[in-house]
Amino acid sequence: MSVSEKPITQVQAEHTDAWMALPGVVGTAIGEEEGKPCIVVFTSGGTEEIRKEIPAMIDGYRVVLKETGRFRALGE
């Protein structure tokens, strides 16, 4: 499937719930990699294990894993 057939926001929305259910996944976002749109999956660790569950490409978009640790609201 080419990138133009499905908006990246739709692809992200279709997969976020399943990815968030994986241990270590703390969020998703739309980003840019090498000048092209991509889906970013933020992890708190265990990125190599998570990569086994999340493909590097989905519906024509690159999926980038970024280890960030846990997200916390300011003031916590």
Side-chain angles (χ1 to χ4, degrees):
M1 176 174 290
S2 84
V3 171
S4 62
E5 289 184 39
K6 212 182 238 189
I8 194 168
T9 53
Q10 180 181 349
V11 176
Q12 177 195 20
E14 289 174 353
H15 297 281
T16 291
D17 287 345
W19 292 341
M20 291 293 292
L22 297 172
V25 175
V26 295
T28 70
I30 295 170
E32 188 175 294
E33 184 86 8
E34 297 177 7
K36 296 180 181 177
C38 68
I39 298 172
V40 181
V41 178
F42 298 105
T43 71
S44 62
T47 302
E48 289 182 32
E49 290 299 312
I50 293 168
R51 177 51 76 195
K52 294 176 186 175
E53 302 293 326
I54 298 177
M57 293 285 292
I58 195 156
D59 292 334
Y61 295 100
R62 186 165 180 200
V63 179
V64 177
L65 300 185
K66 294 206 181 228
E67 189 168 332
T68 60
R70 298 189 75 77
F71 291 131
R72 284 179 269 137
L74 291 177
E76 282 188 19

